[in-house]
């Protein structure tokens, strides 16, 4: 027994005597790391070999191109751009794993932020341009320099610009938009018209340089998994999947759905991190960033990667790694399937994959690399935040220059990993044969597979068709089969026989790839018959992509198959959108097919029928709409799917009321054209459902009452306003009264007894209803004059809009009521209240009650509250006077994404809110009530960007000065006593 004990002791001794790094600063950095057990982290490049790195890419010879953004941060206030940016080419000449030779491949760049090898050179993202640079003479310095695309917006700070060039399986190169847009042209093709787009991601063809805008609004982070699923990131949204593309949604001009991105991970206040440093995010001291970020949750998510290498442990495969530079850590999240999309969560609750006590550790980018390792870029700065987001008076307190001579790149592998463990399948290096490269596609390692894929794509080899076919059919790894399948397609080497085999593959991800190849390609038409069988595929994601593909096939069989998918998956919004987006011009055929399915899942059936009704209302003929409606109104029980279908129809057709014959009994009677004698009885049953049925059915029933008439439905809606009903039910009743557009509804909403009983969550919906209908405005004005409603409860945007209305009587009345608020000097109010803060002895617990009463409807704090405005959880370190400023002067600074848009629709209603998403077909607004409103562009009469906040001025009129002091104390101290 002595020998095992001795051996164990020696292992412990050796582990405790690891060789120290020769560079004391690097050793100090290594000592500061906390890394998952069983792994090791080692530097592969560090200053002065690399300075200010933000991205890198390996070529096939394992040379590393590193992007040095030395000019960051760029000038805060529209100063001159620097030209300090560089691309350096690093080599490991002695093969010891550490890069020891540096060439300045390119210099004189402004703020470069992304790189991708291509045909012996590199694409470089550096807004407003994408460059292609190449060293043609072997001296390590680029001598071919081209601007291949230009026009990407560069008016915002350098960290929110186009970046992350990444090759997709389709052979296109995808880039993030950096929350920006542009007007994109190619100097190589001056005859092409510009591609103009707003904030979105994009892609370009590396051969033709054609550019397209895509789904997604990613900031500094983009990764594509081995099966082509694309994930982006933004500061407080760590993992977002781009599920739908705009060209698929735009196939159906009558589809109001315009979402394209799924939050895969928890976001904002729920996106928890576990830092071990004492770093305080600079944003917490910055008034301009109120609600944008806070310690303990993601504030600077970037540089994510879906890891599929071989040098970590098996449990790391398929995980997503996200850099969080502000809090000195890298988080690992485990990904799971979730319908047509995914969900992810932290791997180890309470502990990060990699964290450092060193506040200068600033991980910004992670990526695969040789030997299957995970590589991480550390920009290494004392302050990572941009000065543009720091008040001018505070900038002198922060050292934005410290660290501008530093930078590190690390490699993470298993503790027992040895270089000899590297996957030996195939060869990827200059001079590798096509045969070698196809063999490398079969590797277990993602870097080797991806590099081989790129080299074969570049070479356009034509002698590898049989070898690719063999890989597609017999490779060990599904990831290898997927790359081989797409490569065969991209090179024109894929035949219908092989594609059909892929469509019948035992691997669901391969069936998924084969379906996507069929989606937009006519050369495989004879294989499209196989799609019909995939409507019954066991994989929801295969069915999702099958629905998109079937939408491009104009046949009765494809409609029948789409109906099958809808019946099974219609409760999932992505699957429903995939089906409905392909129904342009054939809605009636689909309705007939869908109605004939007896085995439909009830929730799916109701959800699909509601959207079908909306499609028909938006784009069907009035005769078709009436016929559909009258088939729903029967003397039998009021089924949920009938309510859903009728509601969708009413929602769609309300923008076309001018096409209907007027009916004093309301929209439902106008749609029915008086041809159905059962409607009175149907609405009577509908009221019974509204008062007592299950949640979803009740919700739809209440909404549908809003399209009847006041005399018929007011008794039920009045009951639903009682406080014993949930806030959600009360809000639905309020919205129904608003849709009825009868002034008596406004009088009901403003009854003194009811007004006093509205909770903070309900009252904003009442106000929104009163200001959205011109027929309600006299009632609103009367209530303000009587002092029942405070003028300050109306937002500055709506006060201004009412004061500028074309109806002179309304404008004059609004001016009289609101002139003090709108004409007053808000900064004078702020200065007056600053004195209160100096002398107050506030109590945080009383402030908590005030927050619940006045703020929680719109703002989240400590994980609780609404999602209309910014999350306020991270503002405790901001000065009290900064908090006061943003409370009293909400329009002092409004982030573009929170600026209110005012939309007047053709049905006479007005909606205001900030844009959540938009496509060519329409947009979705997040209103002051927290509800999302989708609007078709064809139903928009006018759209105005106010540039203002949804938050009203004059909040001080709803509370005492003592209350204000208590509120600010709570915001600074939270729930701590």
């Amino acid at each position: 027994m002595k020998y095992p004990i001795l051996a164990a002791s020696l292992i412990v001794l050796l582990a405790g005597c690891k060789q120290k790094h020769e560079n004391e600063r690097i050793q100090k950095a290594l000592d500061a790391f906390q890394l998952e057990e069983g792994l090791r982290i080692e530097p592969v490049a560090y200053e002065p070999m690399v300075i200010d790195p933000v991205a890198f890419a390996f070529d096939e010879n394992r040379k590393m191109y590193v992007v040095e953004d030395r000019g960051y941060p760029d000038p805060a206030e529209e100063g001159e751009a620097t030209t300090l940016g560089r691309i350096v080419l690093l080599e490991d000449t002695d093969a010891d794993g550490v890069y020891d030779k540096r060439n300045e491949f390119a210099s004189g760049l402004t703020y470069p932020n992304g790189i991708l090898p291509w045909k012996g050179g590199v694409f470089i993202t550096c807004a407003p341009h994408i460059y292609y640079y190449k060293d043609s003479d072997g001296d390590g310095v680029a001598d071919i320099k081209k601007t291949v695309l230009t026009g990407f917006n560069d008016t915002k700070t350098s960290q929110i610009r186009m970046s992350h060039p990444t090759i997709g399986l389709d052979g296109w190169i995808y880039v993030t938009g950096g929350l920006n847009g542009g007007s994109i042209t190619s100097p190589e093709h001056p005859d092409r018209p510009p591609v103009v787009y707003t904030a979105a991601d994009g892609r370009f063809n590396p051969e033709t340089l054609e550019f397209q805008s895509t789904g997604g609004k990613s900031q500094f982070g983009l990764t594509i998994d081995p099966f082509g699923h694309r994930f982006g990131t933004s500061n407080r949204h760590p993992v977002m999947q781009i599920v739908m593309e705009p060209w698929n949604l735009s196939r159906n001009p009558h589809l109001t759905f315009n979402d394209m991105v799924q939050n895969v991970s928890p976001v904002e206040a729920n996106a928890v991190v576990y830092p071990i440093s004492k770093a305080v995010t600079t944003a917490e001291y910055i008034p301009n960033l109120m609600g944008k970020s806070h310690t303990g949750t993601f504030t600077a998510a970037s540089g994510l990667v879906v890891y599929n290498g071989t040098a970590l442990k098996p449990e790391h495969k398929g995980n997503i790694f996200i850099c969080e530079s502000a809090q000195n850590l890298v988080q690992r999240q485990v990904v799971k399937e979730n319908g047509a999309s995914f969900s992810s969560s932290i791997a180890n609750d309470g502990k990060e994959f990699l964290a450092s006590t060193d506040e200068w550790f600033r991980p910004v980018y992670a990526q695969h690399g040789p030997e299957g390792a995970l590589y991480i870029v550390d920009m290494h700065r004392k302050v990572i935040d941009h000065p543009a987001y720091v008040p001018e008076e505070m900038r002198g307190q922060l050292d934005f220059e410290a660290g501008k001579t530093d930078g590190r790149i690390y490699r993470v592998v298993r503790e027992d990993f040895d270089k000899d463990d590297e996957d030996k399948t195939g060869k990827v290096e200059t001079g590798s044969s096509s045969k070698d490269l196809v063999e490398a596609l079969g590797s277990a390692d993602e870097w080797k597979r991806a590099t081989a894929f790129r080299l074969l794509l570049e070479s356009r080899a034509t002698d590898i068709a049989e070898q690719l076919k063999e890989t597609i059919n017999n490779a060990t790894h599904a990831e290898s089969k997927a790359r081989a399948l797409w490569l065969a397609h991209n090179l024109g080497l894929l035949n219908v026989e092989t594609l059909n085999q892929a469509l019948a593959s035992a691997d669901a991800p391969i069936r998924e790839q084969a379906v996507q190849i069929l989606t937009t390609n006519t050369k495989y038409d004879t294989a499209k018959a196989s799609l019909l069988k995939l409507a019954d595929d066991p994989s929801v994601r295969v069915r999702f992509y099958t629905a998109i593909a079937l939408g491009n096939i104009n046949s009765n069989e494809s409609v029948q198959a789409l109906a099958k998918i809808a019946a099974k998956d219609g409760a999932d919004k992505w699957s429903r959108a995939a089906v409905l987006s392909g129904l342009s011009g054939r809605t009636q055929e689909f309705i007939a097919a869908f109605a004939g399915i007896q085995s439909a899942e009830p929730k799916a059936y109701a959800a699909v029928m509601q959207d079908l009704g909306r499609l028909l209302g938006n784009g069907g003929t009035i005769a078709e709409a009436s016929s559909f409606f009258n088939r729903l109104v029967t003397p039998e029980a009021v089924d949920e799917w009938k309510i859903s279908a009728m509601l969708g129809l009413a929602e769609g057709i309300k923008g076309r009321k001018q096409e209907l014959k007027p009916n004093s009994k309301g929209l439902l009677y106008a749609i029915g054209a008086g041809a159905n004698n059962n409607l009175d009885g149907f609405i009577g049953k509908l009221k019974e459902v509204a008062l007592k049925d299950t949640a979803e059915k009740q919700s739809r029933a209440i909404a549908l009452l809003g399209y009847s008439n006041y005399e018929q439905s007011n008794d039920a809606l009045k009951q639903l306003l009682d406080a014993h009903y949930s806030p959600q039910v009360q809000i639905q009743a309020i919205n129904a009264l608003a849709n009825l557009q009868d002034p008596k509804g406004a009088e009901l909403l403003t009854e003194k007894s009811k007004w006093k009983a509205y909770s903070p969550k309900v009252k904003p919906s009442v106000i929104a209803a009163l200001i959205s209908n011109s027929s309600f405005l006299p009632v609103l004005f009367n209530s303000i004059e009587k002092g029942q409603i405070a003028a300050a409860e109306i937002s500055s945007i709506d006060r201004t809009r009412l004061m500028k209305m074309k109806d002179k009587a309304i404008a004059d009345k609004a001016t009289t009521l609101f002139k003090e608020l709108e004409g007053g000097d808000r900064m004078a109010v702020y200065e007056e209240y600053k004195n209160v803060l100096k002398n107050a002895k506030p109590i945080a617990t009383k402030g908590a009650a005030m927050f619940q009463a006045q703020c929680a409807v719109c703002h989240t704090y400590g994980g609780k509250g609404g999602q209309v405005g910014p999350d306020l959880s991270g503002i405790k370190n901001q000065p009290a006077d900064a908090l006061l400023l943003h409370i009293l002067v909400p329009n002092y600074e409004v982030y573009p994404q929170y600026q209110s848009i005012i939309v007047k629709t053709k049905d006479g209603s007005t909606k205001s809110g900030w844009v959540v998403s938009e496509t060519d077909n329409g947009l979705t607004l997040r209103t002051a009530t927290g509800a999302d409103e989708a609007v078709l562009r064809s139903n928009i009469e006018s759209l105005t960007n106010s540039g203002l906040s949804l938050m009203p001025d004059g909040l001080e009129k709803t509370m005492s000065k003592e209350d204000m002091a208590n509120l600010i104390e709570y915001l600074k101290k939270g729930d701590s006593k």
Side-chain angles (χ1 to χ4, degrees):
M1 295 296 293
K2 292 180 180 178
Y3 298 105
I5 293 173
L6 177 60
S9 300
L10 285 171
I11 291 171
V12 172
L13 180 62
L14 289 170
C17 297
K18 288 182 180 177
Q19 185 176 353
K20 295 287 186 180
H21 198 279
E22 61 185 6
N23 184 307
E24 290 185 9
R25 294 188 71 209
I26 298 301
Q27 185 58 51
K28 183 178 178 182
L30 293 171
D31 291 341
F33 285 132
Q34 174 184 284
L35 179 65
E36 270 191 26
E37 292 181 8
L39 305 176
R40 72 173 190 262
I41 184 168
E42 50 202 20
V44 298
Y46 50 90
E47 69 276 357
M49 188 60 58
V50 64
I51 297 170
D52 289 334
V54 295
F56 66 82
F58 291 97
D59 72 4
E60 57 272 24
N61 298 314
R62 307 190 181 204
K63 295 179 181 179
M64 186 193 295
Y65 290 93
V66 181
V67 180
E68 296 186 338
D69 191 6
R70 294 190 179 195
Y72 179 87
D74 50 316
E77 305 295 349
E78 300 181 355
E80 286 293 320
T82 70
T83 54
L84 299 175
R86 288 170 169 76
I87 307 298
V88 298
L89 182 59
L90 305 184
E91 297 181 55
D92 175 10
T93 61
D94 55 8
D96 66 349
V98 179
Y99 286 82
D100 49 39
K101 181 180 178 182
R102 170 190 171 97
N103 279 308
E104 290 209 356
F105 179 79
S107 59
L109 302 171
T110 53
Y111 308 103
N113 59 11
I115 195 160
L116 178 70
W118 182 257
K119 290 189 175 181
V122 289
F123 287 112
I124 302 165
T125 52
C126 185
H129 312 301
I130 294 179
Y131 298 113
Y132 180 76
Y133 281 15
K134 185 175 181 178
D135 168 21
S136 65
D137 57 14
D139 64 354
V141 179
D143 49 76
I144 296 175
K145 301 180 180 182
K146 295 180 180 179
T147 300
V148 294
L149 290 168
T150 190
F152 298 93
N153 289 346
D154 64 345
T155 55
K156 296 181 180 179
T157 54
S158 62
Q159 83 274 34
I160 46 176
R161 296 182 183 179
M162 171 270 303
S163 68
H164 279 73
T166 306
I167 295 181
L169 292 179
D170 56 9
W172 288 67
I173 296 176
Y174 289 79
V175 293
T176 73
L179 310 182
N180 263 307
S183 178
I184 313 306
T185 59
S186 173
E188 301 284 299
H189 301 277
D191 54 324
R192 291 179 184 168
V195 176
V196 181
Y197 70 108
T198 54
D201 295 344
R203 68 176 187 174
F204 68 94
N205 186 310
E207 297 287 354
T208 67
L209 302 179
E210 177 189 356
F211 179 84
Q212 297 176 348
S213 64
T214 67
K217 288 186 179 181
S218 309
Q219 192 168 343
F220 189 72
L222 181 68
T223 184
I224 301 177
D225 77 6
F227 301 112
H229 306 123
R230 202 162 82 251
F231 301 88
T233 190
S234 63
N235 282 346
R236 306 213 63 205
H237 295 242
V239 186
M240 306 179 290
Q241 186 197 356
I242 295 86
V243 185
M244 294 288 286
E245 297 293 358
W247 50 83
N248 290 324
L249 289 176
S250 63
R251 295 181 300 180
N252 193 335
H254 306 302
L255 182 66
T256 55
F257 184 90
N258 50 43
D259 290 351
M260 288 176 274
V261 175
Q262 171 78 30
N263 282 315
V264 172
S265 66
V267 301
E268 299 183 353
N270 296 315
V272 178
V273 297
Y274 299 96
I276 60 173
S277 68
K278 296 181 180 179
V280 176
T281 59
T282 306
E284 292 184 335
Y285 294 99
I286 303 169
N288 290 5
L289 286 185
M290 181 178 292
K292 292 299 290 180
S293 60
H294 59 283
T295 301
T297 64
F298 270 102
T299 72
S302 70
L304 79 172
V305 64
V306 180
Y307 176 79
N308 279 279
T310 54
L312 298 183
K313 298 179 182 180
E315 59 263 34
H316 293 111
K317 182 179 178 181
N319 291 181
I320 295 184
F321 294 81
I322 312 111
C323 297
E324 165 58 30
S325 59
Q327 293 169 88
N328 324 113
L329 59 88
V330 177
Q331 185 169 106
R332 173 166 76 98
Q333 294 194 5
V334 178
V335 182
K336 297 179 180 179
E337 293 190 357
N338 181 20
S341 183
F342 300 89
S343 63
S344 67
S345 58
I346 187 169
N348 298 303
D349 195 27
K351 189 176 182 180
E352 297 296 350
F353 171 78
L354 173 66
S356 177
T357 57
D358 180 5
E359 296 173 21
W360 289 50
F361 174 57
R362 302 295 187 179
V364 295
Y365 184 85
Q367 192 53 269
H368 296 99
E371 302 161 9
L374 174 67
Y375 289 76
I376 296 170
V377 168
D378 170 16
M379 195 177 187
H380 210 73
R381 291 287 187 89
K382 183 176 183 180
V383 176
I384 199 69
D385 295 85
H386 196 284
Y389 303 118
V390 180
E392 190 170 353
E393 63 272 16
M394 291 188 65
R395 291 174 191 163
Q397 302 175 35
L398 300 172
D399 189 351
F400 296 102
E401 298 296 309
K404 279 197 169 185
T405 58
D406 298 341
R408 290 93 188 263
I409 300 175
Y410 294 97
R411 174 174 52 214
V412 182
V413 295
R414 294 187 307 276
E415 185 68 54
D416 61 355
F417 181 81
D418 186 271
K419 192 173 182 179
D420 290 338
D421 296 338
E422 181 183 356
D423 183 272
K424 302 299 192 297
T425 308
K427 293 180 181 178
V428 287
E429 58 188 36
T430 298
S432 292
S433 67
S434 296
K435 181 177 183 295
D436 287 335
L437 293 174
V438 176
E439 285 182 2
L441 289 179
S443 170
D445 180 57
E446 178 65 7
W447 179 80
K448 183 175 276 191
R449 287 193 301 255
T451 304
F453 178 87
R454 172 177 61 80
L455 293 172
L456 288 165
L457 198 61
E458 292 172 359
S459 70
R460 312 296 296 179
T462 58
D463 59 347
I464 56 174
E466 287 304 312
Q467 198 179 355
L468 286 175
K469 180 178 178 180
E470 174 67 19
T471 305
I472 294 166
N473 291 330
N474 299 314
T476 302
H477 308 290
E479 296 88 345
S480 304
K481 295 178 181 180
R483 285 198 179 274
L485 182 64
W486 276 101
L487 193 59
H489 166 64
N490 295 333
L491 298 179
L493 304 177
L494 181 63
N495 59 39
V496 172
E497 177 191 359
T498 303
L499 186 58
N500 272 324
Q501 290 172 341
L503 287 166
S505 171
D507 297 312
I510 304 308
R511 300 196 300 276
E512 182 184 327
Q513 308 311 309
V515 170
Q516 290 183 75
I517 287 171
L518 275 176
T519 300
T520 55
N521 293 276
T522 57
K523 64 178 288 188
Y524 308 115
D525 277 353
T526 56
K528 289 184 176 178
S530 301
L531 281 174
L532 301 176
K533 300 176 183 177
L534 295 180
D536 294 313
D537 196 274
S539 165
V540 63
R541 194 167 296 109
V542 171
R543 297 195 299 269
F544 167 76
Y545 285 109
T546 298
I548 292 176
L550 289 169
N552 295 327
I553 301 175
N554 189 16
S555 71
N556 182 61
E557 292 80 8
S558 68
V559 172
Q560 296 290 331
L562 284 169
K564 278 187 183 180
I565 296 172
K568 187 174 292 185
D569 303 324
D572 177 83
K573 71 173 185 177
W574 299 113
S575 296
R576 198 162 66 248
V579 169
L580 299 175
S581 66
L583 296 185
S584 182
R586 47 187 185 168
T587 304
Q588 290 290 346
E589 293 91 332
F590 180 85
I591 290 173
F594 189 66
I597 296 177
Q598 302 298 319
S599 58
E601 198 278 322
K603 288 184 185 248
Y605 198 77
V608 173
M609 287 303 293
Q610 183 167 347
D611 280 350
L612 277 175
R614 190 178 291 113
L615 276 180
L616 198 57
N618 285 331
T621 66
I622 297 301
E624 288 171 339
S626 294
S627 174
F628 179 74
F629 177 86
N630 287 320
R631 290 200 302 269
L632 298 172
V633 182
T634 61
E636 294 87 25
V638 181
D639 297 319
E640 183 173 0
W641 71 267
K642 290 183 178 180
I643 297 174
S644 299
M646 196 178 293
L647 175 60
L649 182 66
E651 290 172 338
I653 210 168
K654 68 179 181 180
R656 303 167 59 196
K657 283 195 294 187
Q658 69 278 8
E659 299 177 42
L660 297 168
K661 185 177 180 180
N663 191 305
S664 61
K665 296 184 73 173
L667 183 63
L668 294 182
Y669 288 86
I671 298 172
N676 198 309
N677 297 322
N678 296 315
L679 189 52
D680 287 343
F682 184 93
I683 292 176
K685 292 178 181 177
L686 196 64
K687 292 196 291 184
E688 294 176 10
V689 173
L691 289 169
K692 63 181 181 182
D693 222 299
T694 57
E696 286 191 29
K697 189 175 181 182
Q698 180 189 42
S699 172
R700 290 174 171 138
I702 296 170
L704 190 53
L705 288 177
Y707 298 101
S708 59
N709 60 80
Y710 183 80
E711 299 303 329
Q712 196 172 29
S713 299
N714 79 87
D715 54 340
L717 294 175
K718 183 175 182 177
Q719 288 184 59
L720 292 167
L721 293 176
D722 288 344
H724 72 268
Y725 283 99
S726 71
Q728 289 76 16
V729 168
Q730 293 178 62
I731 290 169
Q732 288 157 0
I734 292 162
N735 292 337
L737 285 166
N739 278 333
L740 290 174
Q741 298 186 352
D742 189 310
K744 290 191 286 294
E747 292 170 0
L748 172 61
L749 290 172
T750 55
E751 284 181 5
K752 190 172 183 179
S753 59
K754 293 201 174 297
W755 186 260
K756 288 183 176 181
Y758 293 137
S759 71
K761 190 171 184 178
V762 173
K763 187 178 283 187
S765 295
V766 180
I767 294 172
L770 294 172
I771 63 175
S772 65
N773 293 292
S774 57
S775 60
F776 284 14
L777 291 176
V779 179
L780 169 65
F781 291 159
N782 185 48
S783 297
I784 293 174
E785 284 181 319
K786 291 192 297 185
Q788 187 169 310
I789 298 176
E793 292 185 273
I794 313 302
S795 72
S796 181
I797 302 165
D798 290 311
R799 293 196 300 259
T800 302
R801 178 177 65 83
L802 294 172
M803 292 166 68
K804 293 181 178 180
M805 286 199 54
K806 293 180 180 179
D807 186 318
K808 189 174 185 302
I810 292 177
D812 288 347
K813 191 70 172 177
T815 299
T816 300
L817 294 173
F818 302 137
K819 62 182 178 182
E820 181 182 349
L821 284 171
E822 290 303 317
D825 185 346
R826 300 303 305 160
M827 292 305 292
V829 176
Y830 164 64
E831 291 296 334
E832 175 189 349
Y833 270 70
K834 279 175 70 175
N835 294 324
V836 176
L837 296 180
K838 295 177 183 178
N839 304 316
K841 294 181 180 180
I843 301 172
T845 52
K846 291 185 177 181
M850 189 54 56
F851 180 85
Q852 288 300 315
Q854 298 291 347
C855 314
V857 174
C858 295
H859 295 284
T860 295
Y861 187 81
K864 299 177 182 178
Q867 297 181 347
V868 177
D871 183 343
L872 303 181
S873 301
I875 61 175
K876 63 182 180 181
N877 287 330
Q878 292 193 20
D881 58 349
L883 299 179
L884 181 68
L885 172 65
H886 282 270
I887 290 171
L888 294 178
V889 194
N891 293 308
Y892 181 75
E893 177 155 4
V894 186
Y895 280 97
Q897 63 264 43
Y898 290 115
Q899 289 177 358
S900 181
I901 303 295
I902 301 169
V903 175
K904 185 175 181 181
T905 57
K906 291 178 181 178
D907 63 357
S909 63
T910 301
K911 310 173 191 299
S912 63
W914 53 273
V915 177
V916 177
S917 61
E918 64 177 319
T919 63
D920 291 344
N921 288 349
L923 51 84
T924 298
L925 296 178
R926 175 74 49 80
T927 68
T929 67
D932 287 349
E933 294 264 5
V935 185
L936 276 180
R937 293 192 190 278
S938 59
N939 193 31
I940 295 176
E941 183 174 307
S942 64
L943 185 151
T944 306
N945 187 335
S946 69
L948 300 176
S949 169
L950 282 173
M951 182 173 170
D953 284 335
L955 196 63
E956 75 279 0
K957 296 183 182 296
T958 66
M959 63 179 78
S960 68
K961 292 180 178 179
E962 180 183 358
D963 289 336
M964 182 72 73
N966 290 336
L967 173 61
I968 291 173
E969 182 74 359
Y970 171 67
L971 293 174
K972 286 187 64 61
K973 290 190 174 181
D975 292 318
S976 60
K977 301 294 186 286

